[in-house]
Amino acid sequence: MRRVLVILIACYTSVAIMASDGISFFGSLQHDGLFAMTDEAIGTESYSFPYLSNTYLNLSLTSKWVNAGLRLETMQAPLPGFEAGFKGSGIGNLYVQGNWGWGKLTIGDVYSQFGSGLILRLYEERSMGIDNSLRGARLELTPYKGIHIEAIGGKQRVYWNCYDHTAWNLDFTKGAVVGADAEVDIDEWSERMQQAGVTLNIGASWVSKYQPQDTVFYSLTPPVMYNLPRWVGSADARFSIGYQGFKLLAEYAWKANDPSVDNLFSYKHGEALLLSASYSRRGMSLLLQAKRSQNMSFRSDRMSRGIAAHINHLPPFTQTHTYHLADLNAYATQLQGEWAFQGELWYTWKKRTAMGGRYGTTLRLQGAHIRGTTPQSWVSMTKEAYYTDVNLELQKRIAGKWYLNAMYMYQTFNAPVIEGSGELCRSHILVADVKYVTSDKVEMRAELQYLYSKQDEGQWIYALYELSLFNDLMLSVSDMYNIGGTDLSSKLHYYMAAVTYQKGAHRLMASFGRTRAGYNCTGGVCRYVPAQKGVNLSYNFNF
Amino acid sequence: MYRHYHYILPLLLSLVLLSCETIAPDQQLITLEPTILERCVLLTEFSGIGCVNCPTAQQLADDLADDCDGRLIVVQMHPAANSFTFSADPLYDYTTADADVYYSHFNGTATTPFPTGVVDFMKDGNAYFIDYTTWATAIHRRLNQEPTLSLDLTPSSEGDSYMLTAQAVNHATDALDFRLLYWLVEDSIEGRQLMPDGKVSTDYMHRHIFRGALNGQWGSQQSAFGKGSLTDIVDVSRYCYTGRHYSVVAVALSSDMSEVIAVAQTDLPKESQVQDEPFVLNVNGIGAIGNDTTIVVTAHHTDPITGKEEMEVRGSIIAEHIYVDTERSAADFDDQLCIGTCVNGNGETTQLFDFNVAGYSSWFAHYYPRDMQPAVITYRFYNNARSLSLTVKYQPED
């Protein structure tokens, strides 16, 4: 704690001194808390602290040549549902970055992504408790126009392992991740291509992780242990080509033998192939994507489970839904292998046309279908689907001050595969979202959602009413009710009332109500959140 | 920079090639010298009927136990506190309050991923729970540690009583004190389980299910003793000859509850020594009843508290998941007070599931007739394997 205070005072003093030299200082504070209450009906857990919270303070300064930043985090009594290692306090991120014309060198905690992230994606996602940065260095070079080269290396952050060793997690004999990436934008070398609206990009990456041998036994009699590789390498190649509104992307990633708890200590290599085609023009866009991944879990710690220690990220190919009931069963990328297909079509009919009406109409059709891979052949898939999602959404301004969003969605969710328990669930979901803008200062919005299913907990209904006043204040009340529960104990109301106030750089939200137990998913990564009841507080300040 | 690219590229290529270690198929496993296994180790497995990977873990535990030739004792607990464990269905409820106490001691929560396990009650690194893919490693480490205490369970029987004598021998130079726990474990229970293919099996064989702590969750504190032995006797008569695969696991736990010092297990006799083992016991104190239809005559009597005329029957059964249906041929009742044996119409079926560690359930019925006419009620107790009819005739006292 004393170390933190010294750093803060040093930062403040430095800023005060350098403020006159064109140096910018900014930051943000985020605090999310919960006064947890017990509610046996929904199955809340008991906590040793009455108030649970996660707090982040970001401080950054930028100048012509040097940038620096740090992030202080405290979650001594974290919000429910985070993994055990998430609890702790200290400096979660610290870096210094030097810039010079064609290069940039960052020392400290670094983030990066190579291509689509199939072999490296280092990022922070606070809602999931993810921060898999490397503590080391990152070098970015642009030696010539259209050429981007990057090299990165360090020890991965796994929660608070930066405090595990006296060397502030710089002991690379305990493990390290290194990598390099090169991308070439060929169109930047050709004026003809640029004039024709053609883009052509090729890229290649390499990432390798080092981890000392672990003693892992295969059998006890006779005692046989695994010969685990200390270095595991991976490579990625990609190209994309675009012409006016069309774009094609292909990316292939390969990973060497990487026996771990994720793949039950298999020595098979991993691979992933991603294909994407899109077309967009004014008023329309089309996207088609396919992905096959097999044994592509890539962690800096072969013994890790859960959401920690991932080096790469496999995109889920499913849409993240913002409507409650549509997001009730969210998909988590299956690390052992999957075939995923996704398509999306947006079309906007102009105003004053037959389909567009007076104000125009936008229709969106989206679908996703995911199956597992099987060993029969490279193209074979499991008979059962893991996940299917087809939804049709209509966005329309139906009258002067009235706006409508309506959606129908059909979903199949293979819970035993995705969550490890439950049953195959088929649902039909209807959503009506109506907004009424009375004036510049007052807006009202109401949502009504209905989910029909014969499996799991049956039918659900959700209603929300939201009132925005003077651009600063928002009030909302909502309720989610399980009308299909087979016994009284499952017919529960999950009510919530919230007030949000925003003024300048400050945003304060307070709410009271119940939250159902379930999975919170972002980008194909999910964490289980237990049932909660209580008063939620959230404060954000940007300066 | 451009002049040096012909050095940089080969250097980078070398780095790429060196940073990838491919293990040939014949080098993936390393066989070590076998060591003499000196001690017994306890694997406490946490599982749930809604957990899709738990059958794989149970098989792995069985394989490890076979590998260890009796030196590994596996106990499987189903804590109600975890989301993979369903306790709402009494027919397939393997949860116990004792299991939740141990689960909480190991810092288990609703979100702890299953399957998982704890070896010898010890932490592995910073946490108690060990992923099932690495159980073998933790078990091997413990198996090769010199034991400070050895523990044996020796059965003895005399008449209807069946006793276990636990003998602990201290091999350490210092005096040793510990807590001695006795756990009831049941094997080979056919029931429901979510399988790795996502389908529910209704005839899955559950192994090593923890049924309860016989002498309290944290057992009895044993006094410190030096070189030599200590004995303790526990009466397990009620769990014998029940038709169920019971065993008792004795656990010597360090007094600070941080380590299992020694563990032993012994099976309890399952089969009855008497043919046609009683299924229903002690009807109105009469004693064991066989499998044939039996007629019991019982009289109306005046309830001293209510002053009402009532007919009463009570009894106990010694198997779980017994169903009973009733059929009456005469008499109407003003009121009834009963567990499972209320008569609301012909052919009513009820499940008796007041199961407890003792292994038997009680049932009773008090009927308050409108008049003093004789009544005949037939009870049929049954499960998948057996059935017993019991006909009770109620008639007014002379």
Side-chain angles (χ1 to χ4, degrees), chain A residues 45 81-82 102 141 143-144 149 164 178 180 206-209 213 215-234 254 256-257 260-261 264-265 267 303 305 384 414 416-417 419-424 519 528-530, chain B residues 1-2 12 15-16 18-24 27-35 37 50-53 56 60 64 66-69 72 81 83-84 86 109-111 113 126 131-134 136-137 139-141 143 194-200:
Chain A
E45 294 184 354
F82 288 92
W102 48 273
L141 302 171
Y144 187 70
I149 297 172
D164 283 351
V178 293
W206 151 77
V207 173
S208 189
K209 66 147 183 178
Q213 270 271 9
T215 304
V216 181
F217 276 85
Y218 169 75
S219 75
L220 293 177
T221 307
V224 178
M225 57 181 264
Y226 289 103
N227 182 13
L228 299 169
R230 289 160 301 162
W231 284 98
V232 176
S234 64
W254 177 90
N257 54 193
S260 70
V261 295
L264 304 182
F265 292 93
Y267 282 76
M303 310 297 272
R305 281 260 197 219
E384 287 105 358
N414 194 327
V417 169
E419 294 178 351
S421 68
E423 58 182 326
L424 180 67
Y519 285 88
Y528 181 79
V529 181
Chain B
M1 167 146 178
Y2 312 111
L12 284 175
L15 281 172
V16 168
L18 284 170
S19 64
C20 189
E21 197 177 332
T22 303
I23 310 289
Q27 293 174 353
Q28 290 170 1
L29 298 175
I30 302 171
T31 304
L32 303 177
E33 285 297 318
T35 53
L37 306 178
C51 160
V52 75
N53 290 317
T56 306
L60 177 67
L64 290 172
D66 288 340
D67 267 359
C68 294
D69 196 27
L72 175 66
S83 56
F84 288 113
F86 303 151
T109 68
T111 59
N126 293 328
D131 191 274
Y132 71 102
T133 55
T134 59
T137 304
I139 291 164
H140 182 267
R141 196 182 309 131
L143 280 172
L194 186 63
M195 301 301 288
D197 61 3
K199 295 184 170 51
V200 174

Side-chain angles (χ1 to χ4, degrees), chain A residues 347 349-350 352-358 360-363 394 396:
Chain A
Y347 195 86
W349 285 274
K350 290 182 186 171
R352 296 189 183 86
T353 58
M355 290 296 291
R358 188 173 172 187
T361 302
T362 298
L363 200 66
L394 173 77
K396 186 166 179 59

Side-chain angles (χ1 to χ4, degrees), chain A residues 266-340:
Chain A
S266 163
Y267 282 76
K268 292 184 180 167
H269 70 269
E271 60 178 356
L273 176 66
L274 193 157
L275 300 170
S276 174
S278 65
Y279 171 69
S280 68
R281 63 169 170 82
R282 188 183 169 89
M284 180 201 156
S285 72
L286 174 66
L287 171 71
L288 294 170
Q289 296 189 104
K291 177 192 76 172
R292 182 187 185 274
S293 63
Q294 181 78 45
N295 193 22
M296 276 301 288
S297 167
F298 195 24
R299 297 187 196 244
S300 59
D301 180 4
R302 62 174 77 87
M303 310 297 272
S304 248
R305 281 260 197 219
I307 59 175
H310 283 283
I311 298 171
N312 68 340
H313 176 253
L314 301 171
F317 270 39
T318 57
Q319 186 193 356
T320 302
H321 295 285
T322 52
Y323 293 116
H324 257 75
L325 296 186
D327 202 39
L328 214 59
N329 291 320
Y331 181 72
T333 306
Q334 298 305 298
L335 299 176
Q336 69 274 17
E338 62 180 26
W339 267 106

